[in-house]
Amino acid sequence: MTRYWLPALATASATALGMGAALAAETPDLSDPPPIEGETLEDAGSHTIRVGLGLAETSPLYISTEHFGEILSERTDGRIKVEVFPNSQLGDDAQMMEMLQTGSLDMTIPSTSPATTYVPELAVFDLPFLIPDRDAAVAVLQSDVALDLLDEFEGSGIKALAYHENGFRQLTNSEKAVASPDDIEGLTIRTMENPVQLSIWETLGASPTAMAFGEVFSAMEQGVIDGQENPFSTILTSNFHEVQDHASETRHVYTPFIIMMSERTWDTLDPSYQELVQEAAEQAAEYEIQLASEYDDWSREQLEEHGMEVTRLDEDQIAAFQDAVQPVYDEWEDEIGAELIEEIQAIVDDSADE
Ligand code: TK8
């Protein structure tokens, strides 16, 4: 399995993997998040928190999760340890959320899309071209409107702590360069397990199939599907370019991740530890969003260097996709809530004025 590291982040990445000082001479230009202020805790016991992730250990998600563990370990003199299990080895997003409910796993960080099973309004993030750029994304993720959706998990057995970035999704396929909605006709595309995602690709004329992330590589390798869509960093760190010759910079959906804990685990934590975990999750989220944005362009360049053809789309070409998927809004507006959609759109518009 080939591993791709963003050079500027080699130190952080190497540290995250315990790879020592070999790469330490490279300069990470990302500052570490500030330490958590407050007392170190003596009497709150020891905990090992197991975190399952769908993505590889080279992903910004994994690196920031290791960082989350470092913050907690430092702040508790090693009384809280975090163990991270990447590559869907404990299950896919849906399975790991169920494991949180039963208490057989402590944490996971799924995309919002499969989490709509618990909080249907999260499907607002599945709407195409809702979030145009990262400034808008950050404004939305920090808004009360978005944070209130995390509270909606209450009673599900899952404690949602913070948003991370999965990122702007790009289409890849093994068949042809895609530059217009017409090019999509007939392609079999894997989507996340979410009805709005299915509806996007049906509307564009593809034959979509919902599938867990961990099955996507082999489905493409075996030709069961022609393509999939994910951020460039995931396409690279999951080695999708080995089985996909074409990518198109469609940026059709911005997907957040949610950092979640089992309510059962949460309840075993002393309130002072709960506060630390919440703060560490927020710090890790800030770090992850920074990492993810650094990885985005770099990953696209790496993919091109590895022979993937990346089709860039100009404004008119993007507008053609945007027009083509308008019916998705009509179809889902009532279900998701027109008011919620408008609130998010208003935050996006404000972020453009600043
Ligand atoms: C990883 C997934 C993934 C998501 C997907 O667990 O399923 O395509 O984008 O990255 O959450």
PDB file of all heavy atoms in Angstrom, residues 83-106:
ATOM      1  N   GLU A  83      -6.698   5.476  21.372  1.00  0.00           N
ATOM      2  CA  GLU A  83      -6.195   4.519  20.376  1.00  0.00           C
ATOM      3  C   GLU A  83      -7.013   4.671  19.103  1.00  0.00           C
ATOM      4  O   GLU A  83      -8.238   4.610  19.150  1.00  0.00           O
ATOM      5  CB  GLU A  83      -6.362   3.079  20.883  1.00  0.00           C
ATOM      6  CG  GLU A  83      -5.329   2.675  21.909  1.00  0.00           C
ATOM      7  CD  GLU A  83      -5.591   1.272  22.458  1.00  0.00           C
ATOM      8  OE1 GLU A  83      -6.365   0.507  21.842  1.00  0.00           O
ATOM      9  OE2 GLU A  83      -5.017   0.976  23.515  1.00  0.00           O
ATOM     10  N   VAL A  84      -6.316   4.847  17.986  1.00  0.00           N
ATOM     11  CA  VAL A  84      -7.029   5.107  16.732  1.00  0.00           C
ATOM     12  C   VAL A  84      -6.924   3.905  15.794  1.00  0.00           C
ATOM     13  O   VAL A  84      -5.831   3.371  15.575  1.00  0.00           O
ATOM     14  CB  VAL A  84      -6.471   6.366  16.027  1.00  0.00           C
ATOM     15  CG1 VAL A  84      -7.401   6.793  14.901  1.00  0.00           C
ATOM     16  CG2 VAL A  84      -6.293   7.516  17.009  1.00  0.00           C
ATOM     17  N   PHE A  85      -8.049   3.470  15.254  1.00  0.00           N
ATOM     18  CA  PHE A  85      -8.121   2.321  14.346  1.00  0.00           C
ATOM     19  C   PHE A  85      -8.611   2.796  12.974  1.00  0.00           C
ATOM     20  O   PHE A  85      -9.802   3.060  12.797  1.00  0.00           O
ATOM     21  CB  PHE A  85      -9.072   1.256  14.902  1.00  0.00           C
ATOM     22  CG  PHE A  85      -8.651   0.722  16.245  1.00  0.00           C
ATOM     23  CD1 PHE A  85      -9.016   1.379  17.423  1.00  0.00           C
ATOM     24  CD2 PHE A  85      -7.866  -0.423  16.334  1.00  0.00           C
ATOM     25  CE1 PHE A  85      -8.607   0.901  18.661  1.00  0.00           C
ATOM     26  CE2 PHE A  85      -7.456  -0.914  17.572  1.00  0.00           C
ATOM     27  CZ  PHE A  85      -7.826  -0.248  18.745  1.00  0.00           C
ATOM     28  N   PRO A  86      -7.691   2.950  11.993  1.00  0.00           N
ATOM     29  CA  PRO A  86      -8.075   3.507  10.686  1.00  0.00           C
ATOM     30  C   PRO A  86      -8.622   2.445   9.710  1.00  0.00           C
ATOM     31  O   PRO A  86      -8.804   1.287  10.083  1.00  0.00           O
ATOM     32  CB  PRO A  86      -6.748   4.070  10.170  1.00  0.00           C
ATOM     33  CG  PRO A  86      -5.706   3.163  10.755  1.00  0.00           C
ATOM     34  CD  PRO A  86      -6.249   2.702  12.095  1.00  0.00           C
ATOM     35  N   ASN A  87      -8.847   2.866   8.468  1.00  0.00           N
ATOM     36  CA  ASN A  87      -9.150   1.962   7.332  1.00  0.00           C
ATOM     37  C   ASN A  87     -10.402   1.118   7.521  1.00  0.00           C
ATOM     38  O   ASN A  87     -10.437  -0.026   7.060  1.00  0.00           O
ATOM     39  CB  ASN A  87      -7.952   1.029   7.062  1.00  0.00           C
ATOM     40  CG  ASN A  87      -6.755   1.795   6.528  1.00  0.00           C
ATOM     41  OD1 ASN A  87      -6.908   2.613   5.632  1.00  0.00           O
ATOM     42  ND2 ASN A  87      -5.575   1.544   7.085  1.00  0.00           N
ATOM     43  N   SER A  88     -11.405   1.631   8.181  1.00  0.00           N
ATOM     44  CA  SER A  88     -12.672   0.901   8.370  1.00  0.00           C
ATOM     45  C   SER A  88     -12.464  -0.467   9.009  1.00  0.00           C
ATOM     46  O   SER A  88     -13.300  -1.357   8.843  1.00  0.00           O
ATOM     47  CB  SER A  88     -13.416   0.708   7.025  1.00  0.00           C
ATOM     48  OG  SER A  88     -13.561   1.911   6.328  1.00  0.00           O
ATOM     49  N   GLN A  89     -11.327  -0.667   9.703  1.00  0.00           N
ATOM     50  CA  GLN A  89     -11.057  -2.015  10.242  1.00  0.00           C
ATOM     51  C   GLN A  89     -12.048  -2.426  11.328  1.00  0.00           C
ATOM     52  O   GLN A  89     -12.260  -3.611  11.562  1.00  0.00           O
ATOM     53  CB  GLN A  89      -9.611  -2.146  10.741  1.00  0.00           C
ATOM     54  CG  GLN A  89      -9.250  -1.159  11.833  1.00  0.00           C
ATOM     55  CD  GLN A  89      -7.782  -1.264  12.245  1.00  0.00           C
ATOM     56  OE1 GLN A  89      -7.430  -2.121  13.021  1.00  0.00           O
ATOM     57  NE2 GLN A  89      -6.944  -0.388  11.715  1.00  0.00           N
ATOM     58  N   LEU A  90     -12.694  -1.454  11.989  1.00  0.00           N
ATOM     59  CA  LEU A  90     -13.701  -1.804  13.006  1.00  0.00           C
ATOM     60  C   LEU A  90     -15.116  -1.772  12.430  1.00  0.00           C
ATOM     61  O   LEU A  90     -16.074  -2.156  13.099  1.00  0.00           O
ATOM     62  CB  LEU A  90     -13.608  -0.845  14.193  1.00  0.00           C
ATOM     63  CG  LEU A  90     -12.267  -0.784  14.936  1.00  0.00           C
ATOM     64  CD1 LEU A  90     -12.383   0.132  16.153  1.00  0.00           C
ATOM     65  CD2 LEU A  90     -11.801  -2.165  15.364  1.00  0.00           C
ATOM     66  N   GLY A  91     -15.254  -1.288  11.191  1.00  0.00           N
ATOM     67  CA  GLY A  91     -16.586  -1.200  10.591  1.00  0.00           C
ATOM     68  C   GLY A  91     -16.689   0.061   9.740  1.00  0.00           C
ATOM     69  O   GLY A  91     -15.761   0.867   9.716  1.00  0.00           O
ATOM     70  N   ASP A  92     -17.787   0.188   9.027  1.00  0.00           N
ATOM     71  CA  ASP A  92     -17.988   1.408   8.241  1.00  0.00           C
ATOM     72  C   ASP A  92     -18.681   2.458   9.112  1.00  0.00           C
ATOM     73  O   ASP A  92     -18.997   2.205  10.277  1.00  0.00           O
ATOM     74  CB  ASP A  92     -18.751   1.106   6.950  1.00  0.00           C
ATOM     75  CG  ASP A  92     -20.114   0.500   7.209  1.00  0.00           C
ATOM     76  OD1 ASP A  92     -20.832   0.998   8.104  1.00  0.00           O
ATOM     77  OD2 ASP A  92     -20.482  -0.478   6.519  1.00  0.00           O
ATOM     78  N   ASP A  93     -18.927   3.628   8.528  1.00  0.00           N
ATOM     79  CA  ASP A  93     -19.510   4.730   9.308  1.00  0.00           C
ATOM     80  C   ASP A  93     -20.797   4.296  10.019  1.00  0.00           C
ATOM     81  O   ASP A  93     -20.972   4.540  11.220  1.00  0.00           O
ATOM     82  CB  ASP A  93     -19.826   5.931   8.395  1.00  0.00           C
ATOM     83  CG  ASP A  93     -18.587   6.728   8.000  1.00  0.00           C
ATOM     84  OD1 ASP A  93     -17.502   6.463   8.543  1.00  0.00           O
ATOM     85  OD2 ASP A  93     -18.717   7.628   7.142  1.00  0.00           O
ATOM     86  N   ALA A  94     -21.702   3.651   9.277  1.00  0.00           N
ATOM     87  CA  ALA A  94     -22.995   3.272   9.859  1.00  0.00           C
ATOM     88  C   ALA A  94     -22.810   2.257  10.994  1.00  0.00           C
ATOM     89  O   ALA A  94     -23.419   2.380  12.065  1.00  0.00           O
ATOM     90  CB  ALA A  94     -23.907   2.703   8.772  1.00  0.00           C
ATOM     91  N   GLN A  95     -21.955   1.281  10.752  1.00  0.00           N
ATOM     92  CA  GLN A  95     -21.717   0.254  11.789  1.00  0.00           C
ATOM     93  C   GLN A  95     -21.064   0.859  13.023  1.00  0.00           C
ATOM     94  O   GLN A  95     -21.423   0.529  14.155  1.00  0.00           O
ATOM     95  CB  GLN A  95     -20.812  -0.857  11.233  1.00  0.00           C
ATOM     96  CG  GLN A  95     -21.499  -1.726  10.199  1.00  0.00           C
ATOM     97  CD  GLN A  95     -20.515  -2.559   9.383  1.00  0.00           C
ATOM     98  OE1 GLN A  95     -19.345  -2.202   9.235  1.00  0.00           O
ATOM     99  NE2 GLN A  95     -20.992  -3.680   8.845  1.00  0.00           N
ATOM    100  N   MET A  96     -20.115   1.750  12.805  1.00  0.00           N
ATOM    101  CA  MET A  96     -19.417   2.323  13.969  1.00  0.00           C
ATOM    102  C   MET A  96     -20.354   3.218  14.787  1.00  0.00           C
ATOM    103  O   MET A  96     -20.262   3.249  16.009  1.00  0.00           O
ATOM    104  CB  MET A  96     -18.144   3.044  13.542  1.00  0.00           C
ATOM    105  CG  MET A  96     -17.061   2.051  13.086  1.00  0.00           C
ATOM    106  SD  MET A  96     -15.402   2.778  12.931  1.00  0.00           S
ATOM    107  CE  MET A  96     -15.572   3.705  11.414  1.00  0.00           C
ATOM    108  N   MET A  97     -21.289   3.897  14.128  1.00  0.00           N
ATOM    109  CA  MET A  97     -22.270   4.680  14.897  1.00  0.00           C
ATOM    110  C   MET A  97     -23.151   3.754  15.744  1.00  0.00           C
ATOM    111  O   MET A  97     -23.477   4.075  16.876  1.00  0.00           O
ATOM    112  CB  MET A  97     -23.121   5.559  13.967  1.00  0.00           C
ATOM    113  CG  MET A  97     -22.372   6.796  13.501  1.00  0.00           C
ATOM    114  SD  MET A  97     -23.412   7.944  12.549  1.00  0.00           S
ATOM    115  CE  MET A  97     -23.435   7.141  10.958  1.00  0.00           C
ATOM    116  N   GLU A  98     -23.503   2.606  15.170  1.00  0.00           N
ATOM    117  CA  GLU A  98     -24.285   1.631  15.960  1.00  0.00           C
ATOM    118  C   GLU A  98     -23.469   1.120  17.145  1.00  0.00           C
ATOM    119  O   GLU A  98     -23.996   0.903  18.237  1.00  0.00           O
ATOM    120  CB  GLU A  98     -24.718   0.450  15.080  1.00  0.00           C
ATOM    121  CG  GLU A  98     -25.908   0.797  14.201  1.00  0.00           C
ATOM    122  CD  GLU A  98     -26.197  -0.264  13.141  1.00  0.00           C
ATOM    123  OE1 GLU A  98     -25.750  -1.422  13.302  1.00  0.00           O
ATOM    124  OE2 GLU A  98     -26.855   0.085  12.142  1.00  0.00           O
ATOM    125  N   MET A  99     -22.170   0.933  16.919  1.00  0.00           N
ATOM    126  CA  MET A  99     -21.299   0.486  18.014  1.00  0.00           C
ATOM    127  C   MET A  99     -21.227   1.535  19.128  1.00  0.00           C
ATOM    128  O   MET A  99     -21.106   1.192  20.304  1.00  0.00           O
ATOM    129  CB  MET A  99     -19.900   0.142  17.483  1.00  0.00           C
ATOM    130  CG  MET A  99     -19.874  -1.127  16.637  1.00  0.00           C
ATOM    131  SD  MET A  99     -18.361  -1.255  15.634  1.00  0.00           S
ATOM    132  CE  MET A  99     -17.194  -1.801  16.875  1.00  0.00           C
ATOM    133  N   LEU A 100     -21.301   2.802  18.760  1.00  0.00           N
ATOM    134  CA  LEU A 100     -21.340   3.846  19.793  1.00  0.00           C
ATOM    135  C   LEU A 100     -22.613   3.692  20.623  1.00  0.00           C
ATOM    136  O   LEU A 100     -22.598   3.820  21.846  1.00  0.00           O
ATOM    137  CB  LEU A 100     -21.322   5.256  19.191  1.00  0.00           C
ATOM    138  CG  LEU A 100     -20.119   5.716  18.382  1.00  0.00           C
ATOM    139  CD1 LEU A 100     -20.212   7.227  18.140  1.00  0.00           C
ATOM    140  CD2 LEU A 100     -18.804   5.389  19.068  1.00  0.00           C
ATOM    141  N   GLN A 101     -23.707   3.409  19.955  1.00  0.00           N
ATOM    142  CA  GLN A 101     -24.987   3.280  20.670  1.00  0.00           C
ATOM    143  C   GLN A 101     -24.952   2.151  21.685  1.00  0.00           C
ATOM    144  O   GLN A 101     -25.480   2.279  22.781  1.00  0.00           O
ATOM    145  CB  GLN A 101     -26.122   3.013  19.676  1.00  0.00           C
ATOM    146  CG  GLN A 101     -26.447   4.201  18.806  1.00  0.00           C
ATOM    147  CD  GLN A 101     -27.658   3.903  17.953  1.00  0.00           C
ATOM    148  OE1 GLN A 101     -27.595   3.117  17.012  1.00  0.00           O
ATOM    149  NE2 GLN A 101     -28.773   4.514  18.292  1.00  0.00           N
ATOM    150  N   THR A 102     -24.326   1.018  21.292  1.00  0.00           N
ATOM    151  CA  THR A 102     -24.290  -0.126  22.204  1.00  0.00           C
ATOM    152  C   THR A 102     -23.133  -0.017  23.190  1.00  0.00           C
ATOM    153  O   THR A 102     -23.051  -0.802  24.129  1.00  0.00           O
ATOM    154  CB  THR A 102     -24.133  -1.453  21.433  1.00  0.00           C
ATOM    155  OG1 THR A 102     -22.909  -1.402  20.696  1.00  0.00           O
ATOM    156  CG2 THR A 102     -25.291  -1.681  20.490  1.00  0.00           C
ATOM    157  N   GLY A 103     -22.217   0.900  22.956  1.00  0.00           N
ATOM    158  CA  GLY A 103     -21.079   1.063  23.853  1.00  0.00           C
ATOM    159  C   GLY A 103     -19.920   0.135  23.522  1.00  0.00           C
ATOM    160  O   GLY A 103     -18.964   0.038  24.277  1.00  0.00           O
ATOM    161  N   SER A 104     -19.960  -0.538  22.358  1.00  0.00           N
ATOM    162  CA  SER A 104     -18.851  -1.423  22.010  1.00  0.00           C
ATOM    163  C   SER A 104     -17.708  -0.670  21.324  1.00  0.00           C
ATOM    164  O   SER A 104     -16.661  -1.237  21.018  1.00  0.00           O
ATOM    165  CB  SER A 104     -19.325  -2.602  21.146  1.00  0.00           C
ATOM    166  OG  SER A 104     -20.020  -2.140  20.026  1.00  0.00           O
ATOM    167  N   LEU A 105     -17.900   0.617  21.061  1.00  0.00           N
ATOM    168  CA  LEU A 105     -16.825   1.483  20.552  1.00  0.00           C
ATOM    169  C   LEU A 105     -17.010   2.839  21.235  1.00  0.00           C
ATOM    170  O   LEU A 105     -18.136   3.247  21.512  1.00  0.00           O
ATOM    171  CB  LEU A 105     -16.936   1.614  19.017  1.00  0.00           C
ATOM    172  CG  LEU A 105     -15.933   2.526  18.315  1.00  0.00           C
ATOM    173  CD1 LEU A 105     -14.501   1.977  18.430  1.00  0.00           C
ATOM    174  CD2 LEU A 105     -16.291   2.682  16.829  1.00  0.00           C
ATOM    175  N   ASP A 106     -15.886   3.541  21.505  1.00  0.00           N
ATOM    176  CA  ASP A 106     -15.982   4.810  22.234  1.00  0.00           C
ATOM    177  C   ASP A 106     -16.218   6.012  21.311  1.00  0.00           C
ATOM    178  O   ASP A 106     -16.982   6.905  21.650  1.00  0.00           O
ATOM    179  CB  ASP A 106     -14.703   5.055  23.038  1.00  0.00           C
ATOM    180  CG  ASP A 106     -14.456   3.949  24.042  1.00  0.00           C
ATOM    181  OD1 ASP A 106     -15.394   3.632  24.804  1.00  0.00           O
ATOM    182  OD2 ASP A 106     -13.347   3.373  24.055  1.00  0.00           O
TER     183      ASP A 106
END
